[in-house]
Amino acid sequence: MAGIEDVARLAGVSTATVSRALSGRGHVSPASKAKVLEAAARLGYVVSSNASSLASGRTRNVGVVIPFLNRWFFSSVLEGAQQALLRHGYDLTLYNLSGDGAERASVFEHFLLRQRVDAVIAVSLELTESEVTRLHDLGKPLVGVGGPIPGVRTLTIDDIAVARLATEHLIGLGHRRIAHIGGDLEFDLDFHLPTNRRLGYESALRDAGIEPEPKYFAPADFTVAGGYHAAKQLLGSPRDRPTAIFAASDEMALGTILAARDLGMSVPRDVSVVGIDDHDLADFFGLTTVAQFPRVQGEQAVETLMEQLEPGSDASEPASISLPYELRVRSSTARPEV
Amino acid sequence: MAGIEDVARLAGVSTATVSRALSGRGHVSPASKAKVLEAAARLGYVVSSNASSLASGRTRNVGVVIPFLNRWFFSSVLEGAQQALLRHGYDLTLYNLSGDGAERASVFEHFLLRQRVDAVIAVSLELTESEVTRLHDLGKPLVGVGGPIPGVRTLTIDDIAVARLATEHLIGLGHRRIAHIGGDLEFDLDFHLPTNRRLGYESALRDAGIEPEPKYFAPADFTVAGGYHAAKQLLGSPRDRPTAIFAASDEMALGTILAARDLGMSVPRDVSVVGIDDHDLADFFGLTTVAQFPRVQGEQAVETLMEQLEPGSDASEPASISLPYELRVRSSTARPEV
DNA sequence: CTGAAAGCGCTAACAA
DNA sequence: TTGTTAGCGCTTTCAG
């Protein structure tokens, strides 16, 4: 392992110059810089991140705290964040916390605070005020994805608007009996996402002069199986059966499609289905959905951090971050039968 | 930020004793240890991992290199690894390499080698000999998951045996015309997994006196959509249609079930379907499958590393690692109709 | 623009 | 069992 001194010697300059040339901080003459670069390449020199971090206080590493790895939304956010960080020359340290108290506290105390990260991205995780304060006091930028953290910059789609859009799509097609499969209340830890989506749904209905009815709401757990069972419930009754179902996630929407099939109903002829996400499988099932772009959310979280971590490097300050979403009409929605 | 000196002062001992008490290396009297622990707690002291790493050469961090984040197998391995590492007090730094050459080389050079990790777990990634050598020379243990890396300890299920098991299940039910949906050749980078599974399938057939026929093989890309199309191909022809399909992954098996339905066939009455994985959705679809346990694979990879990283801590040396798998019979397989 | 040198905070000989 | 102390490899003032 070549060290900075070896490079300095080979390049005929001091270690300080090597450091400056390689890190880009401070001025170095083009001539010296070239010599340093060449020497470093020749020796296969790579800085020791530990020594560098210890001396500079920067680690070029960010921690990502995330509750699930095996769900589409979360793995996509992670992917986006990872890629963006790599581009900036940062490492990503992963903390997969299943919301569980003890493990989580320990992670905060013994990992995040070990000066291992320059910043933290918290995905769909409600941090306690003391956790936020602690990070803040340490001067570690923190950005949230997927839900508001008090006093912290957070990226979330406008769940109310997204739900409105999905519902209005159905209303526009002529549906009046529109059911909703949403999260159960205890799922609301995810930043009231279920509640917000339900609010969007209800307000869209009211705006169209339709009074939301309790019998047209079924709770589920955001899985395919959950959506399936909820949909069976909704579609099972022969009278006043809804002609359309808006599910709060694509996975539940897929469950709905499968339930309809199993009940001998045809989608969209007998029932229209719309979801939220644009999950990998949505296209395959012809599911109409409101796409959100979790990869982009991950990337944006990184960019937001970078502005704080490396000010001036790329001064495009998106003061208020509005995340994109988009209705994707496929074959699971149509006008209701007359 | 309290430093080690603060703790030492408060506890009335030297910094060396604090270090020893907190890290567990070297002997410390119970009395001193108690004092140190209390002082550290009082001050909210957390070691600086950089300083510690620099001085000791250990980072308590392992790098996980993985090609996908959004596929069941990979996210499960990652989850298992993360959890096991956390338990050992290690961090996990994630490198999500999409196999792409340039990005990958850069990661190896500038990230993994920056002394940031004590060891590397490579998931389904064929490392070049020079990459392996480089890590080896640096004294970084390396363990593979999901495919053999030359000269490296690797955890993989016995793909041939797994495929045999699945096929034999069908044969045992009385099927003779058994088709296989496997990976296309170019997918073979995944360590010949598709090839091995096909070999297992073929040898099981031969053992039962059935000659494998090319028309009963269809390649696909391990996705639901891919399996769907392959299955339509296989099930489309009216004569000599297979009575059973063995898909090399659950996702393709699910596609097969959906294809059968769309062709108006009933599973398992008209066609039996078996997969490999025990994907989250397998249970929901009643898919018979050979379960593998990727979480466990991730955990085992970590344990294997720990033996090398912290010798003596837990001396259960599993010399040859055989990974578990298990046939899960559900409702997608049955005797063929007579 | 460059070099000398003082640390960054901790660990590990070594000595006691 | 404990303390003293010399670094770990780099960054960054501070002079020049």
Side-chain angles (χ1 to χ4, degrees):
Chain A
M1 286 298 297
I4 198 173
E5 294 213 37
D6 303 303
V7 179
R9 209 173 304 124
L10 184 58
V13 297
S14 71
T15 61
T17 300
V18 173
S19 174
R20 286 190 280 250
L22 260 30
S23 71
R25 332 190 146 249
H27 284 212
V28 183
S29 74
S32 317
K33 182 157 185 177
K35 280 187 296 182
V36 170
L37 256 32
E38 202 212 305
R42 279 255 297 278
L43 297 172
Y45 170 77
V46 192
V47 300
S48 153
S49 59
N50 289 314
S52 172
S53 301
L54 182 56
S56 70
R58 281 172 266 100
T59 66
R60 298 187 75 80
N61 186 33
V62 344
V64 174
V65 191
I66 199 164
F68 306 100
L69 294 177
N70 51 13
R71 293 204 194 168
W72 176 81
F73 176 81
F74 296 93
S75 60
S76 302
V77 169
L78 187 57
E79 213 173 84
Q82 158 86 79
Q83 201 177 301
L85 285 170
L86 215 63
R87 216 163 36 219
H88 285 277
Y90 275 65
D91 280 339
L92 185 163
T93 296
L94 180 66
Y95 298 101
N96 173 215
L97 299 187
S98 314
D100 162 271
E103 189 180 58
R104 172 168 158 178
S106 115
V107 162
F108 250 85
E109 287 309 308
H110 297 292
F111 290 77
L112 290 180
L113 301 179
R114 275 202 298 189
Q115 315 230 16
R116 220 173 222 169
V117 299
D118 288 339
V120 173
I121 296 177
V123 185
S124 290
L125 220 52
E126 185 128 36
L127 300 182
T128 68
E129 208 168 333
S130 93
E131 286 167 338
V132 172
T133 309
R134 189 99 192 240
L135 283 171
H136 191 82
D137 290 349
L138 261 56
K140 308 278 185 213
L142 165 64
V143 46
V145 174
I149 304 176
V152 171
R153 193 163 197 177
T154 312
L155 314 180
T156 334
I157 50 168
D158 182 338
D159 281 302
I160 297 185
V162 166
R164 280 191 76 94
L165 178 56
T167 310
E168 284 166 355
H169 167 64
L170 295 172
I171 294 171
L173 287 170
H175 292 275
R176 307 285 297 175
R177 298 201 302 280
I178 301 171
H180 176 49
I181 298 178
D184 25 22
L185 270 187
E186 47 183 326
F187 230 89
D188 220 34
L189 49 102
D190 252 357
F191 301 104
H192 322 307
L193 171 153
T195 301
N196 284 336
R197 292 190 181 168
R198 187 173 180 178
L199 288 176
Y201 153 78
E202 291 178 346
S203 74
L205 288 186
R206 289 213 177 85
D207 287 358
I210 305 168
E211 189 55 28
E213 296 187 52
K215 70 173 175 188
Y216 287 150
F217 173 79
D221 61 358
F222 282 83
T223 68
V224 174
Y228 179 88
H229 292 119
K232 278 224 162 157
Q233 210 60 34
L234 253 15
L235 295 173
S237 95
R239 32 190 319 121
D240 276 354
R241 175 203 286 162
T243 62
I245 295 182
F246 157 49
S249 82
D250 276 1
E251 303 213 31
M252 295 195 290
L254 296 182
T256 301
I257 290 179
L258 294 169
R261 286 191 193 172
D262 284 359
L263 288 170
M265 303 172 69
S266 159
V267 174
R269 202 192 59 213
D270 301 316
V271 60
S272 284
V273 179
V274 57
I276 292 181
D277 273 350
D278 203 20
H279 188 283
D280 289 339
L281 287 175
D283 187 49
F284 175 70
F285 279 89
L287 177 66
T288 295
T289 190
V290 180
Q292 65 170 323
F293 307 93
R295 285 188 60 109
V296 175
Q297 295 177 33
E299 288 171 20
Q300 288 222 16
V302 170
E303 300 308 334
T304 305
L305 287 181
M306 288 304 147
E307 279 161 30
Q308 300 177 61
L309 254 26
E310 317 205 322
S313 74
D314 197 282
S316 56
E317 174 98 19
S320 89
I321 300 152
S322 86
L323 292 170
Y325 57 89
E326 194 177 302
L327 181 67
R328 289 240 207 282
V329 181
R330 299 202 178 90
S331 54
S332 70
T333 49
R335 305 191 72 79
E337 291 228 299
V338 215
Chain B
M1 284 299 295
I4 198 172
E5 294 212 39
D6 303 302
V7 179
R9 209 173 305 125
L10 184 58
V13 297
S14 72
T15 61
T17 299
V18 173
S19 174
R20 285 190 281 251
L22 260 28
S23 71
R25 328 188 150 250
H27 285 211
V28 183
S29 73
S32 315
K33 182 159 184 175
K35 280 187 296 183
V36 169
L37 257 33
E38 203 213 302
R42 279 255 298 276
L43 297 171
Y45 170 77
V46 193
V47 300
S48 154
S49 59
N50 289 313
S52 171
S53 301
L54 183 56
S56 70
R58 280 172 267 100
T59 66
R60 297 188 76 80
N61 185 31
V62 344
V64 174
V65 191
I66 200 164
F68 305 100
L69 293 178
N70 51 13
R71 294 204 193 168
W72 176 82
F73 177 82
F74 296 93
S75 61
S76 302
V77 169
L78 186 58
E79 213 173 83
Q82 159 85 78
Q83 201 177 302
L85 285 170
L86 215 62
R87 216 163 37 220
H88 285 278
Y90 275 66
D91 280 339
L92 186 165
T93 296
L94 179 66
Y95 298 101
N96 173 213
L97 300 187
S98 313
D100 161 271
E103 190 179 60
R104 173 168 156 177
S106 116
V107 163
F108 250 83
E109 288 308 309
H110 296 292
F111 289 79
L112 290 181
L113 301 180
R114 274 201 299 188
Q115 314 229 20
R116 217 172 226 172
V117 299
D118 288 338
V120 173
I121 296 177
V123 185
S124 289
L125 221 53
E126 186 128 34
L127 299 183
T128 69
E129 209 168 332
S130 93
E131 286 167 337
V132 172
T133 309
R134 189 99 192 243
L135 283 171
H136 191 81
D137 290 348
L138 261 55
K140 308 278 185 213
L142 165 65
V143 45
V145 174
I149 304 177
V152 171
R153 192 163 198 179
T154 313
L155 314 180
T156 336
I157 50 167
D158 182 339
D159 281 302
I160 297 185
V162 166
R164 280 192 76 94
L165 179 55
T167 310
E168 283 166 356
H169 168 64
L170 295 172
I171 294 170
L173 287 170
H175 292 275
R176 308 284 298 174
R177 298 201 304 281
I178 301 173
H180 176 48
I181 297 178
D184 25 22
L185 271 187
E186 49 182 325
F187 230 87
D188 222 33
L189 49 102
D190 252 357
F191 302 104
H192 323 307
L193 172 154
T195 301
N196 283 336
R197 292 191 180 168
R198 187 172 179 177
L199 289 176
Y201 154 79
E202 290 177 347
S203 74
L205 287 186
R206 290 213 176 83
D207 287 358
I210 305 168
E211 190 54 31
E213 296 186 53
K215 70 173 174 187
Y216 287 149
F217 174 79
D221 61 358
F222 282 82
T223 67
V224 174
Y228 179 88
H229 293 119
K232 278 225 163 157
Q233 210 60 33
L234 253 15
L235 295 173
S237 95
R239 30 192 320 122
D240 278 352
R241 174 203 285 164
T243 62
I245 294 182
F246 157 48
S249 82
D250 276 1
E251 302 214 31
M252 295 195 291
L254 296 182
T256 301
I257 290 178
L258 295 169
R261 285 189 194 175
D262 284 0
L263 288 169
M265 303 172 70
S266 158
V267 174
R269 202 191 59 213
D270 301 315
V271 59
S272 284
V273 178
V274 57
I276 291 181
D277 274 349
D278 203 19
H279 188 283
D280 288 341
L281 288 175
D283 188 49
F284 175 70
F285 279 90
L287 177 66
T288 294
T289 190
V290 181
Q292 64 169 322
F293 306 92
R295 285 188 60 108
V296 175
Q297 296 177 32
E299 287 171 19
Q300 288 222 17
V302 170
E303 298 308 333
T304 306
L305 287 181
M306 288 304 147
E307 280 160 30
Q308 300 176 60
L309 254 25
E310 317 205 321
S313 74
D314 196 279
S316 56
E317 174 95 21
S320 89
I321 300 150
S322 86
L323 292 171
Y325 56 90
E326 193 177 303
L327 181 67
R328 290 239 207 281
V329 181
R330 298 202 179 91
S331 55
S332 69
T333 51
R335 306 192 71 80
E337 291 229 299
V338 216

